[in-house]
Amino acid sequence: MADNVQVQIHPASDPAVYQEYQSKWSTLPTDAEGWIQRARDVAAVLAPDAATREKANKSPVAEVTLLKHSGLLKVLGPAKYGGGEQPWSVGYKAIREVAKGDGSIGMLLGYHLLWSTTADVVGSPEQADRWHKVILENNYYIGGAVNPRDSDLRITYDDDTITFNGAKHFTTGAAVSDLIVLEGALHDKPELHIFAFVETRQAGIKFAYNWDNIGLRLTESGGATVENVSASWSDALGWDVATKQPDPAWLGIQFGSLLLPTIQLVFINFYLGIAQGALEFAKNYTLKNTRAWPFGGDNKEKATDEFYILSTYGNFFAHLRAAETLVDRAGDEADKLYAKYGNNRAGLTARERGDWAEWVASAKVVTTDTGLRVTAGVFEVTGSRATASKVGLDRFFRDLRTHTLHDPVAYKNRELGRYLLLDEVPEPTWYT
């Protein structure tokens, strides 16, 4: 990492609180179930004080350290560099499990898994191998500054380097990262874009620390400015160093656009985890605290004898089971595409890519609708005392409502309508 860089001071959580897990989790899991169990273990650590930590709204340095101790940052990486070499379906389930305990940290894990594997999708095999080695051997956390609703970072260049300048309003995880993925457009050819990894701690990257939203408060999703941040042409993912042009073997093909449905399914999995976490939290609250209503004319001794409580919980449970099945199917389809075309990227067709994108769109529609209904509806079966700030039940709805506004789900509905009625697969965009 860069030396002699002035570190910006911002209130942060203390990594020492999770020190015991460095040795406790020093051995990485060896199979899919082991990785998913490790994610459950992380959630169990985070859940008890999640409400307190999110109110404090400190930069999640400790929580990212906990992810590092757990090994979960490595779940997708190649085994030769110390990674778990698991498929995306396992990574998605790990995101979901962590989000059950703390939606913010599930989101941070998800964004890391996407950005840490960026070179697998838009880079050359040599670049992917080089960055996996760096990331895994150093146990780095990766953030991103790639919000497409902002203007692109402006890239100038010479024979040796590319240099980024500009600003981004949203940079999830970047302020607590070791490396950042930057994306920008060439100043003289704005139709051409470049992704590159750069070190986070350098003078040209300054964070606003202005993320103070109602939900997902521990994700450090605020803004940043990028001033004269340079990288070698060899770090321009998917570009030919000699010609200074996109290499058609890696860019301009359908495979390179898989980043978009891949990250959409990241979103969906922490949505689902947040909703499942809300139902589990509410269930435990009802079992311990909720009282039967004594003025209904068919009075019950316990809340768990009340028809409407049983019916509502059953309905939420059924819908979340259905959502989980759909989300898992979308994850399985991801595994198939990456396994089939990871070493034959040019072979992926627009139809295959589009069919998977519509599995993802279906999962997003159902998970968004169901998740919002569950996270808001649990108050109906927990009672008025569950609205107390100290209970913390409200964080699930606030987390889910915050990120489900990321891109309008109405457009996913329209997309699916065109897919069904007109047999159209969507054109790749920043959100599809």
Side-chain angles (χ1 to χ4, degrees):
M1 302 297 287
D3 296 324
N4 302 318
V5 174
Q6 185 176 0
V7 178
Q8 294 165 266
I9 304 301
H10 185 74
S13 53
D14 182 2
V17 301
Y18 299 127
Q19 184 60 42
E20 66 183 283
Y21 297 100
Q22 184 172 18
S23 57
K24 184 175 182 179
W25 291 335
S26 59
T27 301
L28 295 182
T30 57
D31 58 17
E33 182 51 41
W35 283 104
I36 295 167
Q37 182 58 51
R38 178 63 55 85
R40 294 188 188 110
D41 294 340
V42 170
V45 173
L46 293 169
D49 65 346
T52 301
R53 287 183 294 101
E54 71 120 30
K55 287 177 186 174
N57 198 27
K58 291 183 178 180
S59 193
V61 173
E63 290 84 351
V64 169
T65 300
L66 182 69
L67 290 177
K68 290 184 176 185
H69 291 339
S70 74
L72 289 174
L73 301 185
K74 302 181 177 183
V75 62
L76 300 180
K80 66 179 180 178
Y81 297 130
E85 206 161 314
Q86 295 297 309
W88 259 110
S89 60
V90 176
Y92 285 136
K93 289 174 183 175
I95 295 165
R96 189 189 314 167
E97 292 297 331
V98 173
K100 290 178 183 179
D102 188 323
S104 289
I105 312 310
M107 178 175 166
L108 286 176
L109 174 60
Y111 274 62
H112 162 84
L113 293 181
L114 185 282
W115 296 130
S116 67
T117 56
T118 301
D120 291 336
V121 181
V122 298
S124 69
E126 181 278 328
Q127 289 172 322
D129 186 77
R130 175 158 51 90
W131 284 112
H132 276 308
K133 179 177 171 64
V134 170
I135 292 166
L136 292 165
E137 291 186 350
N138 291 284
N139 200 16
Y140 280 163
Y141 178 82
I142 315 302
V146 191
N147 175 33
R149 294 297 304 276
D150 292 330
S151 297
D152 290 304
L153 298 179
R154 185 173 184 267
I155 299 175
T156 54
Y157 58 93
D158 57 27
D159 287 342
D160 300 315
T161 61
I162 57 175
T163 300
F164 294 85
N165 279 278
K168 291 290 181 180
H169 285 97
F170 302 109
T171 59
T172 293
V176 289
S177 70
D178 300 296
L179 299 173
I180 303 175
V181 175
L182 297 182
E183 179 274 332
L186 297 188
H187 73 99
D188 55 345
K189 300 174 184 176
E191 73 279 7
L192 297 179
H193 296 252
I194 296 177
F195 288 87
F197 291 94
V198 301
E199 292 185 356
T200 303
R201 303 301 165 201
Q202 54 179 295
I205 300 177
K206 294 183 172 63
F207 297 102
Y209 293 105
N210 59 348
W211 182 251
D212 188 17
N213 289 41
I214 65 168
L216 297 168
R217 290 170 55 78
L218 299 188
T219 58
E220 280 293 16
S221 292
T225 58
V226 177
E227 183 177 357
N228 296 326
V229 173
S230 296
S232 167
W233 269 109
S234 63
D235 292 331
L237 297 181
W239 280 62
D240 186 303
V241 175
T243 65
K244 308 294 190 290
Q245 293 292 322
D247 189 329
W250 321 122
L251 298 175
I253 58 176
Q254 291 291 323
F255 192 92
S257 69
L258 288 183
L259 276 180
L260 292 316
T262 301
I263 195 171
Q264 285 284 322
L265 199 46
V266 166
F267 302 163
I268 293 160
N269 274 276
F270 65 75
Y271 294 176
L272 178 58
I274 290 167
Q276 291 173 322
L279 189 66
E280 181 68 15
F281 188 104
K283 179 193 79 172
N284 292 330
Y285 184 92
T286 291
L287 290 172
K288 183 178 179 181
N289 298 300
T290 303
R291 297 176 295 176
W293 184 248
F295 303 108
D298 183 22
N299 298 346
K300 306 296 183 184
E301 291 187 7
K302 299 181 296 182
T304 51
D305 293 329
E306 291 270 23
F307 175 86
Y308 82 96
I309 289 179
L310 294 170
S311 175
T312 300
Y313 271 112
N315 185 270
F316 288 168
F317 182 57
H319 280 82
L320 284 175
R321 272 191 160 180
E324 183 170 50
T325 299
L326 179 55
V327 173
D328 284 344
R329 172 63 186 272
D332 291 341
E333 293 298 317
D335 288 353
K336 292 176 186 177
L337 289 187
Y338 277 109
K340 185 175 181 179
Y341 295 111
N343 294 315
N344 175 30
R345 298 191 207 177
L348 178 66
T349 67
R351 183 76 208 192
E352 289 171 302
R353 190 257 187 214
D355 285 340
W356 178 47
E358 296 316 282
W359 277 111
V360 173
S362 299
K364 187 165 189 179
V365 167
V366 170
T367 306
T368 298
D369 290 351
T370 300
L372 290 173
R373 191 165 70 88
V374 170
T375 55
V378 288
F379 290 97
E380 298 170 11
V381 287
T382 50
S384 61
R385 291 185 299 173
T387 64
S389 179
K390 66 181 180 180
V391 173
L393 181 56
D394 59 312
R395 67 184 171 90
F396 297 99
F397 174 78
R398 290 186 287 102
D399 284 352
L400 194 60
R401 179 69 282 179
T402 296
H403 203 284
T404 50
L405 299 173
H406 179 277
D407 52 292
V409 74
Y411 286 92
K412 293 289 185 249
N413 283 313
R414 184 185 69 174
E415 191 180 295
L416 287 160
R418 298 187 73 88
Y419 181 70
L420 174 64
L421 294 174
L422 306 176
D423 195 33
E424 290 182 2
V425 294
E427 291 288 330
T429 73
W430 283 108
Y431 292 94
T432 301

